[in-house]
Structures are given as structure tokens and as C-alpha cells.
Amino acid sequence: MNTIYLKAYAKINLALDVLRRRPDGYHEVRMIMQSVRLHDRLRITRTRTPGIRLKTNLDFLPTNENNLVYAAANLFFEQFPQDYGVNIQLDKRIPVSAGMAGGSTDAAAALFGLNRLFQTGLSLSELQKLGVKLGADVPYCLLRGTALSEGIGEILTPLAPAPSCHVLLVKPPVSISTKHVYEHLSLDESTVHPDIDGMIDAIRRKSLPDTAALLSNVLESVTRREYPAIADIEDTMREFGALNALMSGSGPTVFGLFSDRGRAEKAFYHFKTGPCGRQTFMTAFFQPAVSDIRHK
Ligand code: ATP
């Protein structure tokens, strides 16, 4: 095998809690992660010429070590030196800087693919140990599906698959710095924390209405105040019949969960023909199959 094709799925946070700020500056989180079908594509080809050559369809993205795909390949070759090199084509569809772990999922797919291509035989947990060096969300992006994420994001517990539904994603045209959001998050007695355990129970009971009712993201206390577009999109999604809507990660992407396909489609066309049109997607939860084959 000289070429491997991979899909790198985006994630949303069905719930996101921040427990405390650690002395080293990291935040301890508790999150329910969910993969969605929206994905980037990677094609990795082994070449006789050593080195890493990355191309992408987005001209504003770096193609050097500042791209997480390049960084993942670099890390892999540092650990497992090879006589060969790689050409990597990254086809991005996940909105960038959107709160959907686009870069982390690309890095995870790259590590997964290189492990296959060079037959290095790393287990999932060994790949995750390597991946966390690239970013706290990379271990989850290797796991995928529905999962509880704790610590700084690296302690993962797979959960029963969340009940399936139609997922509408809308990214408003604002850019939010993750650093800014965390710096302005105040954690005190008045902080409303998501009911993570309640959501785990709702997911286990396969109740979509109860899961949707518990959508909550503590970071919205910062972003809803500063970016009214976020609350507006959520309200509009609910008016169109979403069971509920929430901002993913540190934003600004908002997702709405719909049980009714017709209502989801009406909402999709509403946003698709508006100012957020280019960054509006209709998708669904992605659950990896046990024997998931990630290459053609
Ligand atoms: P998160 O949900 O983990 O906060 P995000 O969706 O907000 O992630 P990304 O799209 O992963 O943000 O990355 C945003 C930044 O990372 C951009 O500044 C971008 O230039 C850089 N970056 C590096 N590699 C990639 C990549 N492969 N895809 C997207 N962005 C990348």
C-alpha cells in the first residue's frame, strides 16, 4: 500500500463544563463529545523522496509545521524514522477556527494513516499518547463517536452512541479566540454548570428530547455576551423546531438538534440563503463501526 485515504470527522460538544483553572494555566474540563459526519479528507502517499510535502485546498492555511497535519507527520517521523517521505493532500470542509476541532481531527487522521502506511503497529492508546502532544482534543479525535472527556481533554470514556438526529451547523462570520474565551470565563458560585451526569443518563436511556434539553456550554457565558449572533442563531433554530441549540467548543459554530427532517431542512434553507450560507451544513452524528475501515 502506497496511498491511504482518510476521513477526518468534525466534533461538537453536547455539553462542555470547565471545573477549574490549574496552576499551570490549563483548564480542567468535563465534556460530552460527539463526532458528526462533516469531515475533511486526507490523502497520504508514501514517496521515495524523504520529507513531508503538504498541499491544501485553502490557500490561507499554513502548509508547514504550523499546520497540525504537518506537525503530526513530523512527530511520527521523529518517533519512527523512515527512509521514505510523504505527500499529503488535505481537502478541508470543516470550517476553520470554528470550535469543531478541525485541526485536531486532521492531525488524528494523519497519525492513524501514517501508522497504517508505515505498518508501525501502534495501538489506539499508543496513538493517543503521541497525539496529545499535538493538542488536547487529538486523543478524542482518534477515538471518535460519543465520549466523556475529562482532565484537559485527554481522559476519555466512550459512551453509548447518542440518539441519532438531524444536526444543523451554522458558523456566524465572527472570529473568536479560544484563549480570549477561557481568559474571560469567570468560575464562581453563580456559574451555571452543565448537568453532565444527567446527559450521560439521557444518552444511556436513548432519549433524544432529554439529551437535547440538557445541552449546555459554560463558555457561552462569555461568547453570548460578546457575540449576539450566537444567541440569535440558537433562537432561530429553536423557532424552526430544533429540540435545542448550542454553541460548540469555544465557538462560534452553533448546532441545532432536530428530530424532524422536514423542520431541519426548512431551517437549513433559511440559513443557507442568509449571511452564514457558506458556513451552513446539514449533518448527523457519526458513530465509528467496530471494524471501521478508514481507507479505500
Ligand atoms: P477547536 O475546536 O479544537 O478549538 P477550532 O475548530 O476552533 O478547534 P481549528 O480549525 O482546528 O480551530 O484551527 C484553527 C487554527 O489552527 C487556525 O489558526 C489554523 O491556521 C490552524 N491550523 C493548523 N492546522 C490546521 C488544519 N489542519 N486545519 C485547520 N486549521 C489548522
Side-chain angles (χ1 to χ4, degrees):
M1 179 175 47
N2 273 320
T3 297
I4 187 161
Y5 297 86
L6 304 132
K7 290 180 181 173
Y9 293 93
K11 65 87 185 155
I12 55 175
N13 301 89
L14 298 178
L16 192 162
D17 199 6
V18 180
L19 305 182
R20 66 184 188 99
R21 200 186 306 261
R22 302 196 318 195
D24 61 7
Y26 280 99
H27 287 84
E28 220 165 272
V29 294
R30 214 164 170 240
M31 316 186 278
I32 297 189
M33 321 287 282
Q34 176 62 55
S35 311
V36 292
R37 294 199 158 276
L38 176 68
H39 59 269
D40 293 340
R41 287 175 190 273
L42 277 90
R43 188 187 68 216
I44 310 179
T45 303
R46 189 167 54 170
T47 59
R48 290 196 176 277
T49 324
I52 303 160
R53 289 155 298 272
L54 174 65
K55 285 187 179 164
T56 149
N57 59 326
L58 298 183
D59 53 16
F60 61 87
L61 272 190
T63 51
N64 56 15
E65 48 288 325
N66 294 323
N67 192 303
L68 277 168
V69 169
Y70 191 107
N74 224 0
L75 180 64
F76 180 85
F77 288 132
E78 261 169 38
Q79 304 278 320
F80 306 100
Q82 306 284 339
D83 295 333
Y84 295 89
V86 280
N87 289 342
I88 307 179
Q89 175 67 41
L90 168 64
D91 180 11
K92 280 217 69 86
R93 288 192 269 169
I94 303 169
V96 176
S97 300
M100 287 193 283
S104 302
T105 195
D106 295 342
L111 288 179
F112 181 94
L114 291 165
N115 186 42
R116 281 276 174 98
L117 207 53
F118 291 94
Q119 296 176 10
T120 33
L122 298 182
S123 64
L124 172 63
S125 75
E126 287 167 331
L127 282 173
Q128 288 173 323
K129 280 203 189 92
L130 204 55
V132 76
K133 296 180 183 175
L134 298 163
D137 279 344
V138 179
Y140 165 73
C141 292
L142 282 154
L143 176 69
R144 307 170 302 164
T146 313
L148 173 68
S149 162
E150 295 172 292
I152 60 159
E154 85 293 10
I155 305 170
L156 296 166
T157 310
L159 299 174
S164 57
C165 57
H166 307 279
V167 181
L168 179 60
L169 297 170
V170 176
K171 178 182 177 254
V174 294
S175 68
I176 301 182
S177 135
T178 304
K179 194 163 165 272
H180 172 89
V181 173
Y182 275 94
E183 277 172 6
H184 287 77
L185 175 68
S186 65
L187 293 171
D188 52 36
E189 315 76 54
S190 66
T191 308
V192 181
H193 291 278
D195 180 3
I196 304 263
D197 294 320
M199 183 177 281
I200 293 173
D201 185 55
I203 290 172
R204 197 177 293 132
R205 287 186 284 107
K206 299 246 158 280
S207 168
L208 180 61
D210 291 357
T211 303
L214 291 172
L215 294 184
S216 175
N217 180 345
V218 78
L219 301 179
E220 279 201 340
S221 58
V222 180
T223 54
R224 280 177 72 108
R225 202 171 49 223
E226 295 181 18
Y227 304 95
I230 291 173
D232 288 348
I233 294 171
E234 291 178 5
D235 291 344
T236 306
M237 285 189 181
R238 289 189 203 100
E239 280 160 24
F240 272 92
L243 296 172
N244 206 351
L246 188 73
M247 181 185 80
S248 181
S250 56
T253 304
V254 171
F255 65 91
L257 304 184
F258 293 77
S259 54
D260 184 276
R261 190 190 178 93
R263 291 179 185 202
E265 280 174 353
K266 282 205 176 96
F268 172 76
Y269 286 115
H270 169 81
F271 286 106
K272 200 71 197 161
T273 53
C276 307
R278 289 190 56 215
Q279 305 278 42
T280 294
F281 305 87
M282 181 76 128
T283 187
F285 293 160
F286 169 77
Q287 304 293 355
V290 179
S291 61
D292 188 33
I293 296 172
R294 297 183 57 156
H295 64 279
K296 286 194 265 188

